Amino acid sequence: MEPAPLTPMMQQFRAAKEQHPGMLVLFRNGDFYELFESDAEIGAKAIGLTLTKRDKEIPMAGFPQHKLEYYLGVLLRAGHRVAVCEQMEVAAPGKKIIRREVNRVVTPGTVTEDELLDPRKPNHLIATCQGKGGLFGLAWVDLTTGSFRAADVLPEHLADEIARLAPVETLVPENAADGLHPPMSGTVARPDWTFDPTTTAQTLHRHFGIATLAGFGFDDAQPCLLAAGAVLHYLQETLKASLSHVLRLTPYSPANHLVLDEVTRRSLELTRTLRDNARDGSVLATLDRTVTPMGARRLHDELLAPLRDRSAIEARFDAVDELTKNLSLRETVRSLLDQTADLQRLTARVSTARATPKDLAAVARTLQLLPKLKAKLTGRSSKVLLGLETRLELFPDLRTLLDSALTEDPPYTTKEGGIIKLGYHAELDTLRQLAAEGKTWMARYQAEQVAATGIGSLKIAYTQAIGYYIEVTNANEHRVPANYIHERTLKNAKRYTTPSLREYQEKVLTAEDRSLGLEYELFVTLRDKVAVETPRLLETADVLASLDFLAGLAELASTRGFVRPKIADEHVLDIRGGRHPVLDQVLPPGTFVPNDVRFGPDAGTFWLITGPNMAGKSTFIRQVALLTLLAHVGSFVPATSATIGLTDRIFTRVGASDELARGQSTFMVEMTEAANILNNATPHSLVILDEIGRGTSTYDGVSLAWAITEHLHDAVGCRTLFATHYHELAQLSDKLPRLRNYTVQVKELDRDVIFLHAIAPGNADKSYGIHVARLAGVPDAVLGRAEAVLESLEAGHELKPPPTGRTRKLKPQAPPVPSLFGEPTATSG
Ligand code: ADP
C-alpha cells in the first residue's frame, strides 16, 4: 500500500529536520511544542513525555508552550541538540497552514542563557581531528565567555586533554566519528570539508580579519587550526549571530603547565569526588572562597592547569601575600566583587544579541563598581595587582549612557516596555503621555456614559480582537442609546462601540504601540552600543575574574592558616607541618595530625611508607601531591613551612574501584597506570603510589612493587611516595641509597590498635590486618583463627589441623613472603 501523502504540517516538520541534521525539532503547534517520529520517542525517554500518535500512526509527544525553557534545560543536560520551529504568523480562520521556521537552535556548547548553564563551570565546545604527522588537533571555545584556545596533542594525551576540558559538545569529522574515541555523549559528526585546510583557513582569516595565524602564535600548518576553523564554522552555522566576543585564538602549551593526567585529577578529587562524582567535597569546592562565578570558573581552570613558570608562580604569591596581609584591601575588594554580575557571560550575551534589558542593567550595575575597585588597586606593591589595575577600564561614557537610559529594574522581555527611563528620549515621553492621557479619557468617558444611560454596570474594557468596547448586560439592553454601534453578542451581554470611542482608541493604541516599538528600538541601540565595547568589557571581566581568584586564595590562606611556599628549581620538597587541605577543613579543629615530608640531595628521593590500613598513608601521600599542586597554582599551602621544587607532572596511582565499571579488572587498571608512570615520569615529576600489586597474588604483587620501586629509584629518580602494606619492601633501603623508610605510627593496646596518624622514620613490623579486621567487626572466632594461622605462617610451620578438620600446608621452602591468597598446597579431609 502506498504510504499516505504527508500533511502540509508534517512536510514542514520534515523540512526542519532535514535542515538541522542530528537535532531534535520542537515544533510549535498552537499552545504546544510537539515532537514527532523518532524525536518523539527520544523526547519521551529523555524528558518523560507521554508518547501518543498523530494521524493514527505518527509517534508524537508534546508539552505546553510555557514549559519550553525548562524542557530545553533537561534536553541539553541529556546532551541533545535542539531546533525550535516557531509559528511565524498568527493562525486565522480560513488559513490552511501557517508559516513556521526554525528561529532558535540550542546545543549544549552554544547556549548562553544563565538558566541553562552552571555558573561555576566553563562550558566547553571542542573539536578534534587527526592531523598530518600523527598529532591531533584540538580546539576549544567557551562561547559564554569568548575564550577560544587550541593545541596540537600527542595521540596518547588526547583523552587526557579532552577529560580536562570536560566538553559538553564535541565536534569530529564525519569520517572519524566512529573510532576516534570511545563514543562520548555530545559528539557531533560534522562534514569532513568543515575540517579541510582551505575552508578552515578561510573561516579563521575572515572571522579575525587576518591573513595568517602567526600573529596569535601559531604556525599556519598546525593541525589544531583545522579543529579551530571547524569550531568557528559550526558556531557561525548554528548561531547565525555575531561572534565578535570571540576575540582571539590563544595557543595552549601543556609544556607551560604542570601536567596532570585524568587519573591524577580524578584520584586527587580535584573537581569531583570519587565516591559520588559531586563538586561538594572536592578540593575545588573546599578551597573555593571566590565571590563571583567568574572567579569560581578561574579557580576551576587554574586547578586543572597549574603553572610551571617560577616567576609567574611567585608573582601570584606576591599578590596573594599582599591581599592576605592587607585586610582592608581584601575585604573591600571582595565586597565590591560580591556586588558585580557575571560580566563575562553578560558580555557574551550582549555580543550575540541575546542580552535582555535585565542583562544591560546588570552590566550598568557592574560598571558602577569599577572606579572604587580601581582606586583600591592603585599603588599596590604586587606587580600582578598593579597589572590588573592598569587593565581595569572604567567605561565612563557607557556608564553614563546606561544609567541615563535604563529604568531601575527593567524586565527580561524586550517588547513589553518598562525598559527606558522617563526623560531619556523626548518622543518616547510624548507617546507615553498620549497613551496615559488616552487611558484617563477612557475612564472619564466610562463615567459619562454611566451617567448618561443610567446603566450602573456599564463598563469599558479591551480585547485584542475588537479593541476597546462598551459592555452592557442583557438586562439593560433597552437603555442602550441609538448612537451605540453593536459589535459582539455574548450570552449575558452585548458589546458596543461609539465614534468617539473609536477615535480615542486609535490614539491610545497607536501611541502605546509606537511607544513599545520605540522602546524596543532604543533598547537594541543601547545593546549595540554596549556590544561595540565587547573586547574592552571582556578584558575588564578577565581582570575581575583574576582578582576574585587571587582574593579568594588570600581569604583561604588567612582563614585557614596557610603559608607562602618557597619555590625551588631543584628537585626538592620540604614541607613541615603539612595538612591535607580537605580533611583538615572537614575534621573538627585541631584533630588533624600534621606531618612533614622531605626530599632532596641528602634526604632521599623515594619514601616508602609502610603501616597498616587505616593508619593515614593515603591521606599523607595525597596531601603531599595536593600541596605541591596548590603551590603551582599560586596558592599558599596548609603547613608551617614549605619549599617546593618545580614539578613537571604529578602522577598518581591510587585506588581503582571506579574503574571496574569500564570493564577492566582492578589489576589491569593498576598496571596500566603503573606503566604510564614508568614510561612518562621524569626527574622533575612527583609520583605518588598507593599500593601496587594488590589486585594479584602476594608473590606477584610484592615482586612487581619491588621492581617498580627499583626502576623509579634508579632509572627515573623522581620524587616518589609509595604507600604500601607490604612491610617486606622496607628491606630495599639496604640496597637503594635514596630510598627512605617511613611508617605511620600506631599504638598497640592489648589486642586493639590506635592510629596516631604521625609519619616517622622506620618501617612497620607487621600489617596489623587482624587488628583492623577487629575494628571492622569481624567475629571473634574468625579473628582467633586468623591469629593462629598467622603465627604458624610467620614461624614457617606446617599448619595445625583447623577445627573443621581441613588441613593446609605451607610449601616446603618457606617463601620470603607468606601467601595467604595463593593456591593451597595440600588439602585433605
Ligand atoms: P590508609 O591509607 O593507611 O589506609 P587513610 O589515609 O585512608 O589510611 O586514612 C584513614 C582515615 O584516618 C582517614 O579517613 C582519616 O579520617 C584518618 N586520618 C588519616 N590521616 C590523618 C591525619 N593526619 N590526622 C587525622 N586523621 C587522619
Side-chain angles (χ1 to χ4, degrees):
M1 204 176 77
E2 283 277 301
L6 285 180
T7 61
M9 209 170 92
M10 284 312 286
Q11 284 172 16
Q12 284 181 333
F13 167 74
R14 289 275 178 88
K17 275 302 275 184
E18 223 157 86
Q19 285 155 14
H20 299 88
M23 296 192 195
L24 295 178
V25 169
L26 300 185
F27 194 83
R28 180 72 178 264
N29 195 10
D31 290 338
F32 283 83
Y33 285 98
E34 292 175 348
L35 296 96
F36 301 119
E37 304 180 335
S38 58
D39 286 6
E41 277 150 28
I42 296 172
K45 213 178 267 163
I47 53 183
L49 301 174
T50 318
L51 199 59
T52 56
K53 288 251 153 77
R54 178 181 187 92
D55 304 336
K56 295 216 183 80
E57 53 185 84
I58 302 169
M60 182 182 109
F63 55 83
Q65 153 246 317
H66 67 269
K67 294 280 239 183
L68 177 65
E69 296 304 317
Y70 170 75
Y71 280 121
L72 277 178
V74 181
L75 286 170
L76 285 187
R77 277 189 291 278
H80 292 290
R81 300 183 305 137
V82 185
V84 186
C85 188
E86 283 295 347
Q87 295 182 172
M88 302 311 282
E89 45 192 17
V90 192
K95 193 175 263 181
K96 278 230 181 61
I97 179 81
I98 49 179
R99 199 159 57 82
R100 289 186 174 86
E101 257 173 39
V102 170
N103 65 356
R104 185 174 173 199
V105 167
V106 189
T107 81
T110 60
V111 283
T112 50
E113 291 86 347
D114 274 344
E115 314 79 71
L116 301 176
L117 289 162
D118 181 340
R120 295 176 305 189
K121 243 175 44 191
N123 198 59
H124 286 137
L125 161 72
I126 72 166
T128 178
C129 59
Q130 189 158 17
K132 290 204 188 90
L135 285 173
F136 276 84
L138 183 64
W140 57 100
V141 70
D142 184 344
L143 194 75
T144 69
T145 62
S147 114
F148 189 22
R149 317 196 75 177
D152 292 340
V153 199
L154 290 168
E156 60 269 31
H157 294 158
L158 185 64
D160 263 348
E161 286 300 321
I162 293 180
R164 178 177 64 84
L165 298 168
V168 290
E169 203 172 343
T170 302
L171 314 178
V172 294
E174 234 157 21
N175 72 0
D178 328 312
L180 187 61
H181 326 283
M184 290 190 287
S185 81
T187 303
V188 181
R190 295 282 298 157
D192 292 340
W193 60 266
T194 65
F195 283 84
D196 80 38
T198 324
T199 312
T200 51
Q202 259 174 16
T203 313
L204 291 168
H205 294 172
R206 207 176 310 133
H207 175 79
F208 293 116
I210 50 177
T212 161
L213 282 136
F216 286 152
F218 290 94
D219 169 344
D220 282 312
Q222 278 188 255
C224 64
L225 295 181
L226 304 178
V231 164
L232 211 53
H233 192 277
Y234 177 73
L235 289 180
Q236 288 166 347
E237 187 185 289
T238 312
L239 292 175
K240 299 185 182 79
S242 150
L243 295 169
S244 62
H245 69 297
V246 180
L247 297 172
R248 63 182 80 89
L249 180 66
T250 314
Y252 174 87
S253 163
N256 295 339
H257 296 274
L258 187 166
V259 176
L260 304 162
D261 51 38
E262 178 55 10
V263 171
T264 302
R265 286 189 292 261
R266 215 149 20 93
S267 51
L268 292 179
E269 307 190 294
L270 290 188
T271 58
R272 313 238 122 217
T273 56
L274 276 175
R275 186 186 293 229
D276 29 43
N277 200 30
R279 186 186 194 268
D280 277 355
S282 67
V283 173
L284 174 66
T286 313
L287 302 188
D288 187 353
R289 298 291 188 280
T290 60
V291 291
T292 72
M294 299 176 280
R297 292 195 297 269
R298 175 62 54 84
L299 176 65
H300 177 278
D301 291 349
E302 297 292 343
L303 213 50
L304 294 185
L307 300 171
R308 225 169 100 191
D309 178 69
R310 183 179 170 155
S311 56
I313 297 173
E314 284 176 342
R316 274 194 196 166
F317 286 162
D318 287 342
V320 175
D321 202 27
E322 190 163 1
L323 286 160
T324 306
K325 289 183 180 141
N326 188 336
L327 181 66
S328 107
L329 170 67
R330 184 171 82 240
E331 283 185 342
T332 316
V333 164
R334 279 166 51 84
S335 113
L336 287 170
L337 285 170
D338 197 20
Q339 301 164 58
T340 62
D342 192 338
L343 193 60
Q344 285 173 328
R345 290 193 169 171
L346 283 170
T347 308
R349 284 203 292 277
V350 168
S351 146
T352 47
R354 292 169 171 190
T356 64
K358 241 196 185 32
D359 284 341
L360 285 198
V363 171
R365 214 174 50 240
T366 305
L367 296 187
Q368 278 162 11
L369 300 164
L370 300 181
K372 282 189 215 146
L373 213 45
K374 193 170 174 90
K376 218 46 206 172
L377 293 177
T378 330
R380 291 297 134 216
S381 48
S382 143
K383 278 210 188 78
V384 170
L385 294 182
L386 283 179
L388 292 177
E389 192 267 347
T390 319
R391 285 170 56 210
L392 187 82
E393 298 206 36
L394 298 181
F395 308 94
D397 299 346
L398 193 58
R399 216 171 61 223
T400 320
L401 175 69
L402 290 176
D403 290 349
S404 63
L406 289 173
T407 53
E408 282 306 309
D409 187 21
Y412 288 102
T413 53
T414 51
K415 302 227 165 126
E416 283 152 41
I419 307 170
I420 303 291
K421 241 187 208 158
L422 210 65
Y424 174 69
H425 196 270
E427 189 189 340
L428 179 64
D429 290 352
T430 317
L431 287 171
R432 279 175 169 165
Q433 204 179 346
L434 266 175
E437 275 167 12
K439 279 192 183 139
T440 326
W441 181 88
M442 218 54 94
R444 208 175 53 227
Y445 188 63
Q446 172 172 314
E448 278 168 21
Q449 293 305 306
V450 169
T453 59
I455 309 172
S457 63
L458 177 148
K459 63 172 195 230
I460 297 187
Y462 174 84
T463 69
Q464 183 115 46
I466 57 170
Y468 286 97
Y469 57 84
I470 303 170
E471 187 164 292
V472 178
T473 53
N474 290 346
N476 289 308
E477 203 179 332
H478 59 283
R479 292 153 115 173
V480 168
N483 69 331
Y484 276 29
I485 306 159
H486 176 246
E487 293 255 11
R488 291 274 151 99
T489 303
L490 307 183
K491 198 164 158 231
N492 300 319
K494 288 207 169 64
R495 290 177 179 176
Y496 304 89
T497 184
T498 65
S500 6
L501 184 58
R502 274 192 180 151
E503 189 185 317
Y504 258 88
Q505 147 160 337
E506 195 57 27
K507 270 196 199 150
V508 176
L509 289 188
T510 326
E512 226 167 44
D513 254 15
R514 280 177 49 206
S515 122
L516 292 184
L518 182 57
E519 229 179 317
Y520 174 72
E521 274 169 39
L522 292 171
F523 162 70
V524 171
T525 315
L526 216 50
R527 188 168 65 188
D528 289 347
K529 285 198 174 136
V530 182
V532 172
E533 300 291 350
T534 297
R536 294 167 59 220
L537 283 169
L538 282 179
E539 184 75 9
T540 291
D542 190 65
V543 170
L544 299 182
S546 302
L547 200 54
D548 192 20
F549 161 68
L550 293 167
L553 290 181
E555 176 75 10
L556 178 71
S558 157
T559 51
R560 303 288 318 159
F562 285 20
V563 298
R564 175 181 180 143
K566 283 196 193 64
I567 297 290
D569 294 319
E570 302 78 37
H571 312 153
V572 297
L573 196 60
D574 187 335
I575 298 173
R576 306 293 165 97
R579 311 184 305 273
H580 189 288
V582 176
L583 207 53
D584 183 40
Q585 193 169 314
V586 172
L587 291 179
T591 334
F592 190 85
V593 181
N595 277 303
D596 302 345
V597 71
R598 274 187 74 205
F599 288 123
D602 53 347
T605 54
F606 196 115
W607 275 31
L608 186 81
I609 300 149
T610 47
N613 285 318
M614 284 301 289
K617 300 184 301 296
S618 315
T619 305
F620 174 66
I621 62 173
R622 284 162 194 253
Q623 163 185 322
V624 174
L626 285 173
L627 267 51
T628 304
L629 187 149
L630 281 182
H632 285 75
V633 168
S635 168
F636 288 12
V637 296
T640 48
S641 76
T643 303
I644 291 174
L646 280 178
T647 305
D648 65 349
R649 291 186 68 150
I650 295 177
F651 290 94
T652 62
R653 142 90 279 288
V654 300
S657 53
D658 60 322
E659 298 288 340
L660 286 172
R662 295 200 196 171
Q664 287 191 21
S665 77
T666 316
F667 183 62
M668 184 63 192
V669 171
E670 251 189 83
M671 286 303 116
T672 315
E673 292 177 7
N676 172 39
I677 298 174
L678 294 168
N679 291 324
N680 295 308
T682 76
H684 303 280
S685 306
L686 172 68
V687 173
I688 67 169
L689 303 168
D690 194 356
E691 305 286 5
I692 285 276
R694 205 153 43 171
T696 183
S697 80
T698 308
Y699 282 143
D700 271 4
V702 172
S703 320
L704 280 164
W706 190 289
I708 288 171
T709 300
E710 284 177 349
H711 184 83
L712 288 175
H713 177 278
D714 296 340
V716 182
C718 51
R719 286 158 287 177
T720 309
L721 286 156
F722 180 9
T724 178
H725 69 292
Y726 290 139
H727 54 87
E728 299 80 4
L729 289 178
Q731 304 164 35
L732 272 165
S733 66
D734 297 339
K735 214 174 124 254
L736 307 178
R738 291 181 301 282
L739 183 141
R740 301 286 183 277
N741 282 321
Y742 281 84
T743 182
V744 202
Q745 292 183 318
V746 291
K747 212 155 126 189
E748 218 173 325
L749 268 185
D750 295 331
R751 304 167 80 194
D752 286 331
V753 338
I754 298 171
F755 300 116
L756 301 177
H757 305 304
I759 308 285
N763 55 300
D765 48 350
K766 52 184 176 178
S767 291
Y768 293 95
I770 296 173
H771 295 81
V772 177
R774 175 169 296 114
L775 286 180
V778 172
D780 278 345
V782 176
L783 295 172
R785 175 63 186 147
E787 269 164 3
V789 174
L790 179 66
E791 224 166 89
S792 229
L793 286 173
E794 284 179 342
H797 292 147
E798 194 172 294
L799 289 182
K800 296 202 180 76
T804 57
R806 288 201 301 139
T807 310
R808 293 208 294 158
K809 275 188 194 163
L810 271 187
K811 283 184 177 160
Q813 334 76 315
V817 185
S819 169
L820 286 174
F821 315 107
E823 296 281 297
T825 46
T827 316
S828 67

